[in-house]
Amino acid sequence: MTPQGYSKLIEFEGEQFSAHPDPQGYLMIGIHHYIDERKGAGISQNISRRLFEDDLARFTATARAMFDWFDALDPVRQDVIVMLLFDPGVSGLNAMLSAFGEHAWHEAAFQLANSTWGRKIDNERKKEMCSAIEYGRWV
């Protein structure tokens, strides 16, 4: 496609950065990209991973902006913080974050396990993340 045609197609179709229905009610996103399962549509693994990479970059930047101690953490504990930012329902983690800032790993793991998030998440995930906090490695 020519650069002019590319630009015209975007202009004609419009670009939406959140899901929205077409006139028949099927969900689309981006530039007329159907994501509605009823239309037999979705996204490819490639697009899923590109979205994931974009989210990782955004949440890592958020962690750096929110926590002055983030960059001093080892990579595994940085992973945990970024993973928690992925969950928009995460709340009540002030005690855990305070322990993180003090490098009080056992306390941070305890606080995460006993947080609202820790009580609602499945036990295997909670165990792995708390272990990563406490020992600085994935098991």
Side-chain angles (χ1 to χ4, degrees):
M1 177 167 272
T2 67
Q4 295 85 359
Y6 182 92
S7 295
K8 283 292 180 192
L9 186 55
I10 293 170
E11 180 185 328
F12 295 153
E13 293 295 339
E15 186 170 16
Q16 297 287 326
F17 299 110
S18 59
H20 63 283
D22 74 356
Q24 290 79 39
Y26 295 108
L27 290 177
M28 300 186 311
I29 196 165
I31 303 164
H32 205 85
H33 181 85
Y34 282 101
I35 56 172
D36 199 306
E37 192 174 73
R38 297 171 297 160
K39 187 93 168 159
I43 60 173
S44 65
Q45 184 179 31
N46 181 45
I47 296 300
S48 176
R49 297 299 165 90
R50 289 169 74 187
L51 290 168
F52 179 61
E53 293 294 329
D54 187 63
D55 287 343
L56 279 175
R58 188 166 40 93
F59 288 126
T60 300
T62 298
R64 283 194 170 98
M66 289 176 64
F67 311 117
D68 59 357
W69 41 258
F70 180 79
D71 284 325
L73 296 175
D74 59 82
V76 172
R77 291 181 176 114
Q78 286 181 353
D79 288 349
V80 172
I81 296 296
V82 172
M83 287 176 170
L84 291 170
L85 291 175
F86 263 81
D87 186 345
V90 168
S91 62
L93 297 179
N94 290 338
M96 186 220 60
L97 293 171
S98 177
F100 247 92
E102 297 169 8
H103 293 196
W105 306 128
H106 179 75
E107 179 65 18
F110 175 82
Q111 292 297 334
L112 181 63
N114 292 290
S115 67
T116 303
W117 178 89
R119 288 189 296 277
K120 73 176 182 170
I121 207 70
D122 70 85
N123 283 332
E124 187 61 31
R125 182 175 178 188
K126 178 170 53 174
K127 180 181 169 185
E128 286 187 36
M129 291 186 65
C130 288
S131 179
I133 292 171
E134 193 157 2
Y135 303 110
R137 66 181 184 275
W138 293 108
V139 287

